[in-house]
C-alpha cells in the first residue's frame, strides 16, 4: 500500500507531460475554428460551414520548454520513540490461610426404617366372557352339474420281460504293505549357558549410631506379689467305656439265571394289486385380454433454488486460562524415637516366697522431636491470552436448477393369458400293498431273582459313666509389698563406628550344560488293560469311631534357607527319523458278475372313454351363523399385599467436625512494572522533491487569430 501511494504522483506527472506534448488537439477537433496544431495532430481540418471557410492555417513548429515537476523520494531518518518496557520487581504480601482442625463430636440423629406389614384388600377386576349370537349370512355356492364327453386316450399295459444284467461286486482281500513312520530318539547334547551370580565381597564403611549408656537411680516401688497356696478339690469327669454287641443283618442279593422264552413278531410281505385311478389334468389354452397401464413421462423444468453457504472468517478472541505455579512451604511434625535399656530386677519367687530371683526387664523410653519438612503446593492463577477462531456465517445465495417432474398418462395394451381348465381322466396303476403275518421265534432272557441272606457283625457302642476324682489347685492371692529398686535411665550419644557391608556385584560367567531334545519315532507296543466289572460281594468290617484327646508331642521342623548353587544338567532333544514298518490293508477289487432280472415294459394302446365334466354355477343361499362376542363381567377378589410402614428411632453416632483456624503467612512474589524508555528508531520517509525536465511543446502561429488557445 505504501509503494502504491509513492507511485501515484509519478503517474499523475506522466499524464500532465503527455497532455503537454499532444497539444490541445483533442479539445479542438469538434470546434469550427482553424486548428493551430494541425501539424502536431498530423491532419488538416476543413470546416463544412461557410463561416469557417477561410484558408487553412500554416502548421506551426514544436519547441522544447523546461518544466519543474515534483518527484517522490524515499529517505531514512532517525527518530526518538517512547517505548514501554517491563521490569521484574520483588514484593511481599501477607495472606490468611484457613486450616481445618478435626475433632470428634457425638451427635444424635433420627433414623427412618421401614417394617413390612401384611394386609388384605378387596380388588375389582374385569373378565371377558364369550357370549354366542345367531346371525343370518348370505353366501354364494358353486353348484356342480355333470356333462358327459367322449374322448380317446392312450393306455399303457405292463409286459414283464427277462433281461440279463451285468453288475460289479467289490470283493475284499488282504494286502501287506510297507510304510514309513516318524520315530523320536532322544539325543543328549552338551550346552554352555551364561548366567549371572551375585558374588559377595566385603566393604568397610563408617557410620554413626546412637549408644545408650545406663545411669542408675534409686526409686521406691510398690508391687503386688501373688503368694501361692495349694487347695484340694473334688470333681466329676465323664469316662467312656466301649461295649461290643453282636447284631444280625438280613440283606437281599439278585441272583441271575437264563430263561428261554417264545415270542411272536410280525413280518411284512409286499403284494402287487391293479387299481383303477381317476385323476385331473389341467389343459392349458391361451386368451387375449386388454388392460390399461400407467406410463410416466419425465418433463424438465427450470426452478430457482435458494441455498445457504457458510462463509468462514477469522475472529480474534480473548480468554483466560489457569496457570499452576509450584510454591514450597515448610511445616513441622513430631517424630517419636523409641530408646530403652535392659534392667535387672529382684522379684520374689512365687514357689518360695522367702527367696528372690533376678529378672532382666526391658525399660522403653519414648522421646518426641520436631522435624521440619517441605511441602510443594500448587497455586492457580488466571492468565489472559488471545487466540484466533474461524467462524462460519450463513449467507443466502440463489441458483437455477433443472428439475425433472414425472407426468403420468394412461396407455392401453393387449396381453395373452394362458388359462388351465381341469379335465378328468382314468388310468390303471399297480399298487404294492404290505401284508403283515405273525411269525413265532425263540429268544433267551437273563432274569435276576432276589434271594434273602443273613450276616452277623459286631458293633461297638460307647457307654458313658461319671467318675469322681481329686486334684490339687494352686491359687495365688495378691499381697502388697514395697521395695527399693535401681532404675537405669538411657542416655543417648552419637558414637562413630566402622562396619563391614557385603555388596553383591553382577559378574558374567559361562557354564556348559547338556540339553536333551526329543526325537519322535513311532513304535509298536503291546499293553494289558485291566477292565473292572461290577460284582456284588458281602464282608464284615470293624468300624472304629474316633475319640479325641490332647497328646503332647515333639516334632522337628525343616526350615529352608536360600543358597545359590551351580549345576550342570543334561537336556534331551528329540531327533526324528523315518522307520519302515509293515501293515495289512483290506482292499476291495471290482469283479464283474451276471444276473437275470425281470423288467416291466409299458406297451401303449388307444382306448375310447367317456368323461363327465363338472360345471360350477353360482347360487346364493342363506345360512345362520353363530357369532361369539366378548362380554365384560365385573368380579371381586381378595388380594394379599405387604405395606412398608415408616418408623423412626434415635441413635448416637460419632462425627468428625473440622474447626477453621486462620493463620497469616507472608509470600514473596514477582511483579512486572512498566517503565517508559526513549529509543532511537530508523524510519523511512517519502518526500516530494522538485525536478526540472525538458518537454516538447508546439510553437503558436502569431498570424492565427485563435492562437491564444495554445497554452
Amino acid at each position: 500500500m505504501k509503494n502504491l501511494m509513492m507511485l501515484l504522483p509519478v503517474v499523475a506527472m506522466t499524464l500532465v507531460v503527455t497532455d503537454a506534448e499532444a497539444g490541445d488537439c483533442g479539445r479542438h477537433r469538434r470546434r469550427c475554428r482553424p486548428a493551430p496544431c494541425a501539424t502536431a495532430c498530423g491532419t488538416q481540418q476543413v470546416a463544412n460551414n461557410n463561416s469557417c471557410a477561410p484558408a487553412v492555417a500554416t502548421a506551426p513548429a514544436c519547441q522544447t520548454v523546461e518544466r519543474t515537476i515534483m518527484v517522490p523520494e524515499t529517505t531514512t531518518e532517525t527518530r526518538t520513540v517512547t517505548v514501554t518496557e517491563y521490569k521484574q520487581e520483588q514484593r511481599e504480601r501477607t495472606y490468611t490461610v484457613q486450616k481445618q482442625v478435626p475433632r470428634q463430636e457425638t451427635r444424635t440423629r433420627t433414623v427412618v426404617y421401614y417394617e413390612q406389614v401384611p394386609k388384605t384388600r378387596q380388588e375389582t377386576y374385569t373378565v371377558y366372557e364369550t357370549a354366542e349370537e345367531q346371525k343370518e349370512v348370505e353366501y354364494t355356492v358353486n353348484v356342480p352339474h355333470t356333462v358327459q364327453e367322449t374322448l380317446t386316450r392312450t393306455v399303457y399295459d405292463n409286459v414283464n420281460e427277462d433281461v440279463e444284467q451285468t453288475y460289479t461286486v467289490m470283493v475284499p482281500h488282504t494286502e501287506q504293505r510297507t510304510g514309513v513312520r516318524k520315530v523320536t530318539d532322544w539325543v543328549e547334547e552338551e550346552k554352555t549357558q551364561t548366567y549371572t551370580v551375585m558374588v559377595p565381597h566385603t566393604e568397610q564403611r563408617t557410620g554413626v549410631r546412637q549408644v545408650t549408656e545406663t545411669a542408675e537411680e534409686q526409686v521406691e516401688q510398690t508391687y503386688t506379689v501373688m503368694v501361692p497356696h495349694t487347695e484340694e478339690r473334688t470333681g466329676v469327669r465323664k469316662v467312656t467305656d466301649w461295649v461290643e454287641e453282636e447284631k444280625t443283618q438280613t440283606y437281599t442279593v439278585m441272583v441271575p439265571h437264563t430263561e428261554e422264552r417264545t415270542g411272536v413278531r410280525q413280518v411284512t410281505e409286499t403284494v402287487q394289486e391293479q387299481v383303477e385311478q381317476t385323476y385331473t389334468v389341467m389343459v392349458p389354452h391361451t386368451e387375449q385380454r386388454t388392460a390399461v397401464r400407467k406410463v410416466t413421462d419425465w418433463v424438465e423444468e427450470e426452478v430457482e433454488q435458494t441455498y445457504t453457504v457458510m462463509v468462514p472468517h477469522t475472529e480474534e478472541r480473548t480468554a483466560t486460562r489457569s496457570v499452576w505455579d509450584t510454591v514450597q512451604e515448610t511445616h513441622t511434625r513430631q517424630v517419636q524415637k523409641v530408646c530403652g535399656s535392659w534392667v535387672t530386677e529382684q522379684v520374689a519367687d512365687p514357689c518360695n516366697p522367702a527367696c528372690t530371683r533376678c529378672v532382666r526387664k526391658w525399660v522403653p523410653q519414648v522421646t518426641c522431636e520436631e522435624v521440619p519438612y517441605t511441602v510443594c503446593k500448587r497455586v492457580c492463577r488466571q492468565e489472559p491470552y488471545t487466540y484466533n477462531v474461524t467462524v462460519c456465517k450463513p449467507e443466502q445465495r440463489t441458483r437455477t436448477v433443472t428439475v425433472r417432474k414425472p407426468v403420468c398418462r394412461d396407455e392401453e395394451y393387449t396381453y395373452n393369458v394362458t388359462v388351465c381348465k381341469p379335465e378328468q381322466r382314468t388310468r390303471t396303476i399297480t399298487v404294492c400293498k404290505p401284508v403283515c403275518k405273525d411269525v413265532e421265534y425263540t429268544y433267551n432272557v437273563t432274569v435276576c431273582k432276589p434271594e434273602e441272606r443273613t450276616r452277623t457283625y459286631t458293633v461297638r457302642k460307647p457307654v458313658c459313666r461319671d467318675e469322681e476324682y481329686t486334684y490339687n489347685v494352686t491359687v495365688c492371692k495378691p499381697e502388697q509389698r514395697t521395695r527399693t529398686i535401681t532404675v537405669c535411665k538411657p542416655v543417648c550419644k552419637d558414637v562413630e563406628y566402622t562396619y563391614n557391608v557385603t555388596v553383591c556385584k553382577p559378574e558374567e560367567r559361562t557354564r556348559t550344560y547338556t540339553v536333551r531334545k526329543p526325537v519322535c519315532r513311532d513304535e509298536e507296543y503291546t499293553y494289558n488293560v485291566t477292565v473292572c466289572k461290577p460284582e456284588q460281594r458281602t464282608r464284615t468290617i470293624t468300624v472304629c469311631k474316633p475319640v479325641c484327646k490332647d497328646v503332647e508331642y515333639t516334632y522337628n521342623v525343616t526350615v529352608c534357607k536360600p543358597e545359590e548353587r551351580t549345576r550342570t544338567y543334561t537336556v534331551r532333544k528329540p531327533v526324528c527319523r523315518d522307520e519302515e514298518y509293515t501293515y495289512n490293508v483290506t482292499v476291495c477289487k471290482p469283479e464283474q458278475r451276471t444276473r437275470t432280472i425281470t423288467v416291466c415294459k409299458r406297451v401303449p394302446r388307444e382306448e375310447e372313454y367317456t368323461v363327465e365334466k363338472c360345471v360350477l354355477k353360482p347360487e346364493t343361499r342363506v345360512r345362520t351363523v353363530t357369532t361369539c362376542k366378548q362380554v365384560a363381567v365385573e368380579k371381586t377378589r381378595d388380594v394379599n399385599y405387604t405395606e412398608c410402614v415408616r418408623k423412626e428411632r434415635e441413635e448416637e453416632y460419632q462425627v468428625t467436625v473440622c474447626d477453621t483456624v486462620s493463620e497469616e503467612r507472608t509470600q514473596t512474589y514477582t511483579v512486572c512494572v512498566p517503565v517508559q524508555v526513549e529509543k532511537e528508531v530508523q524510519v523511512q520517509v517519502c518526500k516530494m522533491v522538485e525536478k526540472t525536465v525538458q518537454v516538447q511543446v508546439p510553437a503558436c502561429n502569431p498570424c492565427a487569430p485563435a492562437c491564444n488557445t495554445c497554452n
Side-chain angles (χ1 to χ4, degrees):
M1 189 67 186
K2 185 176 180 181
N3 297 330
L4 181 62
M5 296 298 294
M6 295 172 63
L7 290 174
L8 287 176
V10 178
V11 174
M13 188 58 64
T14 306
L15 293 175
V16 171
V17 173
T18 306
D19 193 13
E21 291 176 353
D24 290 336
C25 301
R27 294 198 298 264
H28 300 299
R29 287 182 181 177
R30 295 185 181 181
R31 296 185 182 180
C32 297
R33 63 180 180 178
C37 307
T39 305
C41 297
T43 58
Q44 292 184 359
Q45 296 181 357
V46 179
N48 296 326
N49 201 339
N50 295 327
S51 59
C52 298
V56 178
T58 307
C62 293
Q63 60 181 355
T64 301
V65 181
E66 286 188 358
R67 298 274 179 95
T68 302
I69 63 173
M70 302 298 291
V71 179
E73 182 179 341
T74 303
T75 60
T76 302
E77 295 182 358
T78 301
R79 295 183 182 180
T80 303
V81 182
T82 303
V83 181
T84 302
E85 292 184 352
Y86 289 89
K87 292 185 178 180
Q88 291 188 352
E89 182 179 318
Q90 296 287 335
R91 295 185 183 179
E92 288 189 356
R93 62 183 173 193
T94 304
Y95 63 96
T96 304
V97 179
Q98 303 291 334
K99 285 188 176 180
Q100 300 291 328
V101 180
R103 60 183 176 85
Q104 294 290 331
E105 183 178 314
T106 303
R107 295 183 182 178
T108 304
R109 64 184 172 189
T110 302
V111 179
V112 178
Y113 66 97
Y114 293 88
E115 286 188 357
Q116 304 285 341
V117 178
K119 291 186 178 182
T120 305
R121 68 167 177 262
Q122 203 169 40
E123 185 180 85
T124 302
Y125 63 99
T126 303
V127 179
Y128 287 89
E129 295 182 353
T130 304
E132 294 184 354
E133 183 181 356
Q134 301 289 332
K135 285 186 178 180
E136 286 190 355
V137 180
E138 288 187 354
Y139 64 99
T140 302
V141 181
N142 289 322
V143 180
H145 66 277
T146 305
V147 178
Q148 288 190 353
E149 184 179 350
T150 303
L151 300 172
T152 303
R153 64 185 174 190
T154 302
V155 180
Y156 288 87
D157 296 331
N158 292 325
V159 178
N160 291 330
E161 183 181 348
D162 290 336
V163 177
E164 189 171 303
Q165 181 187 23
T166 302
Y167 63 98
T168 303
V169 180
M170 300 302 288
V171 181
H173 68 279
T174 303
E175 289 183 2
Q176 191 172 9
R177 296 184 181 179
T178 303
V180 178
R181 58 187 173 188
K182 291 289 185 181
V183 179
T184 302
D185 296 331
W186 289 92
V187 180
E188 294 186 354
E189 180 183 343
E190 295 290 332
K191 280 197 173 182
T192 301
Q193 181 184 19
T194 302
Y195 61 98
T196 302
V197 182
M198 302 302 288
V199 181
H201 67 278
T202 304
E203 292 182 0
Q204 191 171 11
R205 297 182 182 178
T206 303
V208 178
R209 62 186 172 191
Q210 284 193 344
V211 179
T212 304
E213 294 183 354
T214 304
E216 295 185 354
E217 181 182 347
Q218 299 293 328
V219 178
E220 187 171 322
Q221 181 188 25
T222 302
Y223 64 97
T224 303
V225 180
M226 300 300 290
V227 181
H229 67 279
T230 304
E231 292 182 2
E232 188 174 346
R233 297 182 182 179
T234 304
V236 178
R237 60 188 172 190
K238 291 285 186 181
V239 179
T240 303
D241 297 331
W242 290 92
V243 179
E244 292 186 354
E245 181 181 345
E246 296 288 337
K247 283 193 175 182
T248 302
Q249 182 185 16
T250 303
Y251 61 97
T252 304
V253 180
M254 300 300 290
V255 181
H257 67 279
T258 304
E259 290 184 0
E260 187 175 347
R261 296 183 182 179
T262 303
V264 178
R265 58 188 171 193
Q266 286 189 341
V267 179
T268 303
E269 294 181 356
T270 303
V271 178
Q272 292 185 355
E273 182 180 346
Q274 298 292 328
V275 177
E276 187 172 319
Q277 181 187 23
T278 301
Y279 62 99
T280 302
V281 179
M282 301 299 291
V283 181
H285 68 279
T286 304
E287 292 182 1
Q288 189 172 9
R289 297 182 183 179
T290 305
V292 178
R293 60 187 172 192
K294 292 285 185 181
V295 180
T296 303
D297 296 332
W298 291 92
V299 180
E300 292 186 355
E301 182 180 348
E302 297 290 335
V303 178
E304 190 170 300
Q305 182 185 18
T306 303
Y307 64 99
T308 303
V309 180
M310 301 300 289
V311 181
H313 69 281
T314 303
E315 292 183 1
E316 186 173 347
R317 297 184 181 178
T318 305
T320 305
R321 59 187 170 195
S322 298
V323 180
W324 291 87
D325 298 332
T326 303
V327 180
Q328 291 187 353
E329 291 186 4
T330 303
H331 296 271
T332 306
R333 60 185 173 195
Q334 287 189 348
V335 179
Q336 290 186 352
K337 288 188 176 181
V338 180
C339 303
S341 61
W342 290 96
V343 178
T344 304
E345 294 183 358
Q346 290 185 353
V347 182
D349 193 350
C351 299
N352 189 3
C355 300
T356 59
R357 60 181 179 181
C358 294
V359 178
R360 291 191 70 201
K361 192 175 183 181
W362 174 261
V363 179
Q365 183 180 2
V366 181
T367 59
C368 294
E369 291 184 3
E370 294 286 335
V371 178
Y373 65 97
T374 303
V375 179
C376 293
K377 286 190 176 180
R378 305 267 294 167
V379 179
C380 181
R381 61 182 176 86
Q382 300 295 324
E383 180 183 71
Y385 68 100
T386 304
Y387 62 97
N388 293 327
V389 179
T390 301
V391 182
C392 294
K393 290 187 178 180
E395 182 179 314
Q396 295 286 338
R397 296 183 182 178
T398 305
R399 63 185 173 191
T400 303
V401 183
T402 302
V403 180
R404 298 183 67 199
K405 290 185 177 180
V407 178
C408 293
R409 60 183 177 83
D410 293 334
E411 182 182 67
E412 187 173 332
Y413 69 101
T414 304
Y415 62 97
N416 295 325
V417 179
T418 301
V419 181
C420 293
K421 292 186 178 180
E423 181 179 315
Q424 293 286 338
R425 296 182 181 180
T426 306
R427 63 185 172 190
T428 303
I429 60 173
T430 303
V431 180
C432 295
K433 289 186 177 180
V435 178
C436 296
K437 66 176 182 178
D438 295 333
V439 178
E440 188 173 330
Y441 69 101
T442 304
Y443 61 96
N444 294 325
V445 180
T446 301
V447 182
C448 294
K449 291 185 178 180
E451 182 179 317
E452 294 286 339
R453 297 184 183 180
T454 306
R455 64 183 172 189
T456 304
Y457 62 97
T458 303
V459 180
R460 297 183 68 199
K461 290 184 178 180
V463 179
C464 294
R465 60 184 176 83
D466 294 335
E467 181 182 274
E468 188 174 329
Y469 68 100
T470 304
Y471 60 96
N472 294 325
V473 179
T474 300
V475 182
C476 294
K477 293 183 178 179
E479 181 180 317
Q480 292 288 336
R481 296 183 184 180
T482 305
R483 66 184 173 189
T484 302
I485 62 173
T486 302
V487 179
C488 296
K489 291 186 177 179
V491 179
C492 296
K493 67 176 182 178
D494 293 335
V495 177
E496 187 173 331
Y497 69 100
T498 304
Y499 60 96
N500 294 326
V501 179
T502 301
V503 181
C504 293
K505 293 184 178 178
E507 180 180 316
E508 293 288 334
R509 294 185 181 180
T510 305
R511 64 181 176 191
T512 303
Y513 62 95
T514 303
V515 181
R516 300 185 66 197
K517 293 183 179 179
V519 180
C520 295
R521 62 184 179 85
D522 295 332
E523 183 179 88
E524 187 176 330
Y525 68 98
T526 304
Y527 61 95
N528 296 324
V529 179
T530 302
V531 182
C532 297
K533 293 184 179 180
E535 181 180 320
Q536 295 286 340
R537 294 186 181 180
T538 305
R539 65 180 176 186
T540 303
I541 60 171
T542 302
V543 181
C544 296
K545 292 188 178 179
V547 178
C548 296
K549 67 176 181 177
D550 294 333
V551 178
E552 187 175 329
Y553 69 98
T554 304
Y555 62 95
N556 296 324
V557 179
T558 302
V559 181
C560 295
K561 293 183 179 180
E563 180 180 324
E564 290 195 1
R565 296 183 181 179
T566 306
R567 65 180 178 189
T568 302
Y569 61 95
T570 303
V571 181
R572 298 183 64 198
K573 291 185 178 179
V575 179
C576 292
R577 61 182 177 85
D578 293 334
E579 181 182 88
E580 188 173 327
Y581 68 100
T582 304
Y583 59 96
N584 293 326
V585 180
T586 300
V587 182
C588 293
K589 290 186 177 180
E591 181 179 314
Q592 294 287 336
R593 296 185 182 180
T594 305
R595 64 184 173 190
T596 302
I597 59 172
T598 301
V599 179
C600 184
K601 291 185 178 181
R602 305 189 68 187
V603 179
R605 62 182 175 85
E606 294 294 330
E607 182 182 56
E608 191 176 287
Y609 67 100
T610 303
V611 178
E612 292 183 355
K613 285 188 179 180
C614 183
V615 181
L616 300 178
K617 290 184 178 181
E619 181 180 322
T620 303
R621 297 181 183 179
V622 179
R623 64 182 173 189
T624 303
V625 180
T626 302
T627 308
C628 293
K629 284 187 177 182
Q630 298 292 327
V631 181
V633 179
E634 296 288 337
K635 292 188 178 182
T636 306
R637 63 184 174 191
D638 292 333
V639 179
N640 296 325
Y641 67 98
T642 303
E643 184 177 344
C644 293
V645 181
R646 186 176 184 271
K647 293 186 178 181
E648 296 181 354
R649 65 168 180 265
E650 299 288 335
E651 69 176 17
E652 292 185 353
Y653 64 99
Q654 297 290 328
V655 180
T656 302
V657 182
C658 293
D659 297 332
T660 304
V661 179
S662 299
E663 180 183 346
E664 289 192 355
R665 294 183 182 177
T666 304
Q667 181 187 14
T668 303
Y669 63 99
T670 304
V671 181
C672 292
V673 180
V675 179
Q676 300 290 334
V677 180
E678 290 186 354
K679 291 186 178 181
E680 290 185 353
V681 182
Q682 299 291 328
V683 181
Q684 287 188 351
V685 181
C686 181
K687 294 182 179 180
M688 303 300 292
V689 182
E690 292 183 355
K691 185 179 179 181
T692 303
V693 295
Q694 301 290 329
V695 180
Q696 293 290 331
V697 178
C700 295
N701 189 0
C703 301
C707 196
N708 55 359
T709 59
C710 296
N711 295 325

